[in-house]
Amino acid sequence: MNIGIDLGGTKIQVGIEKEGKIIHKTKALLKEKDDLHSTLNQVKQFIEPLTHHKVDGIGIGVPSVVDVEKGIVYNVTNIPSWKKVGLKAILEEEFNLPVFVNNDVNCFTIGEHKFGMGKEYSCLVGMSIGTGLGSGIIIGNKLYAGTNCGAGEIGLLPYKDQNIEYYASGNFFSAFYQTTALDAYNQAEKGNQEALSQWKDFGYHFGAAVQAVMYTYDPQAIVIGGSVANAYPYFEATMKESFKDFIYPESIKKLKIHQTKNEDIALLGAAALVDLSLEHVKGIM
């Protein structure tokens, strides 16, 4: 059993992975994000009760670029005080357990590959749509994170007058419709025609993001997660309609696109960092 932690820009979730499920799960909003000491203490307080169980290690996903080897996180999204934090060293000293740190969307993708919709694929991309757009990459059944843990930032590629993320994330609704993705989703659920039209527009832009993934990684499958993924039925059709311009039609026909089904998948992926990292260490000894 391993402890998994999903640290977002606004909240923290923790739990223990046992036989592919999360037990002893707790979550809360992050407090006093301008104070490094305060936020670190809050993280420690959430972890501490779980260390009383028989666990082998701690895995944590963070929305930032990560020095995976040293466990240092840089410029964490929406946590102003986390500019450069040696998270691995801090938590290992506190709990005397091995700690492994990675990007949060990488953890989501690992979770899907190991426990979720991506189990049957050796080449997989996880796309997390929230306020922004992030991706995790599995190639040959292994996470590909790049030299600086920055691979998969499809959302930052240039697109139209901005970048892909500007149009293919929750930001789209505030930028163009002065609303939120959540409100657009709630209105679409009620059959509101204006909201349904907004999601159709969104689908075309998200289709461009999927095409960027295909041109870059050509995966067998994509798993879509994040808060905006709940609205997938409302933008799936126009997303697929946008594929008519894809230069390799046979490749796009073979692509499988799944919507995540497990709300704990990022926690499961974070917990899996422990076993994956320890297996790697054994492999090079």
Side-chain angles (χ1 to χ4, degrees):
M1 296 194 303
N2 303 310
I3 295 172
I5 304 161
D6 181 23
L7 182 67
T10 58
K11 68 182 186 322
I12 178 173
Q13 296 187 92
V14 302
I16 294 176
E17 183 273 318
K18 181 180 181 182
E19 299 176 351
K21 297 185 184 302
I22 293 295
I23 60 174
H24 305 300
K25 176 182 171 182
T26 55
K27 59 183 177 180
L29 294 176
L30 277 176
K31 302 174 182 177
E32 300 176 6
K33 294 190 292 182
D34 290 324
D35 186 314
L36 175 61
H37 180 74
S38 176
T39 51
L40 282 173
N41 274 345
Q42 188 179 6
V43 171
K44 291 175 184 178
Q45 287 167 8
F46 266 73
I47 296 171
E48 197 277 333
L50 302 184
T51 62
H52 298 293
H53 301 272
K54 189 177 181 180
V55 295
D56 296 320
I58 299 170
I60 179 167
V62 183
S64 70
V65 171
V66 181
D67 181 329
V68 175
E69 184 177 341
K70 296 178 181 178
I72 300 172
V73 300
Y74 297 92
N75 302 310
V76 178
T77 303
N78 291 323
I79 308 180
S81 59
W82 287 41
K83 299 297 185 186
K84 180 181 178 181
V85 182
L87 196 56
K88 176 181 173 72
I90 291 168
L91 296 181
E92 285 186 341
E93 181 179 1
E94 180 76 19
F95 298 112
N96 195 30
L97 286 167
V99 175
F100 302 94
V101 188
N102 214 301
N103 173 267
D104 59 339
V105 184
N106 285 345
C107 290
F108 160 71
T109 306
I110 290 169
E112 290 291 354
H113 183 246
K114 189 173 175 64
F115 301 104
M117 306 298 291
K119 285 192 290 187
E120 63 184 278
Y121 306 110
S122 62
C123 186
L124 172 75
V125 172
M127 299 182 73
S128 181
I129 326 168
T131 306
L133 175 66
S135 301
I137 316 298
I138 300 288
I139 299 175
N141 290 312
K142 293 182 179 180
L143 177 71
Y144 177 73
T147 304
N148 303 294
C149 201
E153 293 292 351
I154 298 296
L156 300 183
L157 293 174
Y159 176 68
K160 294 186 178 293
D161 58 332
Q162 295 283 340
N163 57 24
I164 290 176
E165 184 175 83
Y166 190 83
Y167 288 86
S169 71
N171 175 78
F172 173 75
F173 296 90
S174 58
F176 293 97
Y177 296 111
Q178 292 73 56
T179 186
T180 64
L182 178 60
D183 186 58
Y185 171 72
N186 288 335
Q187 291 301 315
E189 288 278 89
K190 297 175 183 177
N192 181 282
Q193 291 302 308
E194 183 179 353
L196 290 170
S197 177
Q198 292 170 4
W199 282 111
K200 287 179 180 178
D201 288 344
F202 176 84
Y204 289 113
H205 299 302
F206 188 73
V210 171
Q211 290 181 63
V213 166
M214 286 297 292
Y215 285 128
T216 308
Y217 299 106
D218 190 23
Q220 296 164 287
I222 292 172
V223 182
I224 300 171
S227 57
V228 177
N230 291 328
Y232 183 55
Y234 297 121
F235 65 84
E236 179 182 7
T238 49
M239 175 195 73
K240 291 181 176 178
E241 188 177 329
S242 77
F243 297 161
K244 67 181 186 297
D245 297 325
F246 192 74
I247 201 71
Y248 304 120
E250 292 306 313
S251 298
I252 208 77
K253 285 178 186 175
K254 294 177 184 177
L255 176 68
K256 306 296 183 185
I257 300 179
H258 302 284
Q259 179 185 357
T260 188
K261 301 297 183 186
N262 189 334
E263 66 176 11
D264 292 330
I265 206 70
L267 279 177
L268 289 167
L273 291 175
V274 178
D275 291 335
L276 292 173
S277 300
L278 292 178
E279 286 170 8
H280 174 72
V281 170
K282 289 177 184 176
I284 61 176
M285 289 179 66

